[in-house]
Amino acid sequence: MSKEIMSNGEYHSKKDYLSASGLKKFAVSPAHYKHYIEQPVEETAALIFGSAVHALIEQNLTGEPVFDKEFFILNELDHFTEEELLQPNFRRKKEYQTWKKSTESDIRKPVDESVKFIVDKLFKSTFVKNTLLNMDNAECEPSYFLDYQLQFIDNPGEVKLRTRPDYINHELKYIVDYKTMRDEPTDDNCMKEIRYRYYWLQAALYTLIVN
């Protein structure tokens, strides 16, 4: 196993290594996996939102401007009053359209202010700030690579694996992976997400590679 410090883009460019995302596609079919490694990933609104939350958490933990480099909060209330925004057809007016157009010159991705609300609420927790995501002997988003020997009796071989934990505490030996979800985070809804999105597979890969 080897560990490297690299950007998120560099990590995802290593297509010859199989990641949790690739394994999830392979679980559907080999054709899905082939399409995944050959075609660029579509940037859906949900993907951008989740990436922004991840980046803002990391920025809070490390002080590095990982969020500010790629995203910005698009907050209408910083520029208009609530009364204006509630007016019928206000967003069609010239003053609103002029402001909206000015934001398009920013090469970063605009995200809703709810991203900041979620992260601010997370770090209001003393347990999260001082214990769960304590940065003593911990780090964010290290990249791990493993040439794993397959133990098939008739046809032994090797598969290249990679993983990139959101947070890892080396002293207490645990990993935290941030997840956003649409529904209320009840126990039942969380278990459904874990099963449906193959998060259990991702946890297994963390254990295999990092251990």
Side-chain angles (χ1 to χ4, degrees), residues 44-54 71 111-116 118 180-181:
T44 62
L47 181 61
I48 292 172
F49 183 86
S51 298
V53 170
H54 278 66
F71 305 97
V111 292
D112 188 79
E113 59 266 27
S114 59
V115 170
K116 186 175 185 301
I118 289 171
T180 54
M181 56 188 293

Side-chain angles (χ1 to χ4, degrees), residues 117-141:
F117 173 80
I118 289 171
V119 177
D120 285 349
K121 187 173 182 180
L122 178 70
F123 281 96
K124 283 180 181 178
S125 165
T126 304
F127 170 72
V128 169
K129 187 165 56 177
N130 298 335
T131 305
L132 183 63
L133 297 181
N134 188 308
M135 286 302 290
D136 292 341
N137 201 17
E139 58 185 328
C140 295
E141 303 218 11

Side-chain angles (χ1 to χ4, degrees), residues 9-196:
E10 289 173 315
Y11 169 78
H12 286 287
S13 71
K14 295 186 177 295
K15 298 292 188 180
D16 53 330
Y17 281 84
L18 185 60
S19 66
S21 297
L23 279 172
K24 293 172 190 176
K25 297 296 182 183
F26 209 99
V28 180
S29 77
H32 282 77
Y33 175 70
K34 184 174 184 293
H35 182 271
Y36 169 74
I37 62 173
E38 291 179 349
Q39 302 297 325
V41 177
E42 180 186 358
E43 279 203 320
T44 62
L47 181 61
I48 292 172
F49 183 86
S51 298
V53 170
H54 278 66
L56 191 54
I57 293 173
E58 183 180 350
Q59 182 166 300
N60 272 268
L61 290 172
T62 66
E64 296 295 325
V66 288
F67 175 87
D68 292 339
K69 284 181 179 178
E70 189 174 355
F71 305 97
F72 70 96
I73 302 293
L74 186 63
N75 190 349
E76 296 175 331
L77 288 172
D78 285 345
H79 305 274
F80 306 102
T81 66
E82 190 172 350
E83 289 75 18
E84 287 175 319
L85 293 170
L86 290 174
Q87 292 175 14
N89 299 320
F90 177 78
R91 289 177 176 79
R92 296 182 182 178
K93 290 185 177 180
K94 183 179 179 181
E95 56 188 302
Y96 182 88
Q97 291 298 321
T98 300
W99 167 76
K100 191 70 181 293
K101 191 171 183 62
S102 71
T103 66
E104 295 171 0
S105 63
D106 196 319
I107 62 173
R108 299 173 300 168
K109 300 181 184 72
V111 292
D112 188 79
E113 59 266 27
S114 59
V115 170
K116 186 175 185 301
F117 173 80
I118 289 171
V119 177
D120 285 349
K121 187 173 182 180
L122 178 70
F123 281 96
K124 283 180 181 178
S125 165
T126 304
F127 170 72
V128 169
K129 187 165 56 177
N130 298 335
T131 305
L132 183 63
L133 297 181
N134 188 308
M135 286 302 290
D136 292 341
N137 201 17
E139 58 185 328
C140 295
E141 303 218 11
S143 299
Y144 289 92
F145 301 90
L146 175 68
D147 295 338
Y148 182 68
Q149 301 297 318
L150 297 172
Q151 304 300 317
F152 295 127
I153 296 175
D154 296 331
N155 187 24
E158 180 181 273
V159 60
K160 295 177 178 291
L161 301 173
R162 63 179 164 98
T163 194
R164 187 176 169 91
D166 294 331
Y167 168 97
I168 182 168
N169 188 302
H170 298 292
E171 181 180 1
L172 300 177
K173 301 187 185 305
Y174 66 85
I175 286 172
V176 177
D177 195 275
Y178 318 131
K179 300 298 184 189
T180 54
M181 56 188 293
R182 184 185 303 273
D183 298 323
E184 183 182 355
T186 62
D187 288 347
D188 285 345
N189 285 340
C190 286
M191 287 305 299
K192 288 177 184 176
E193 287 283 297
I194 289 169
R195 288 193 295 267
Y196 176 71

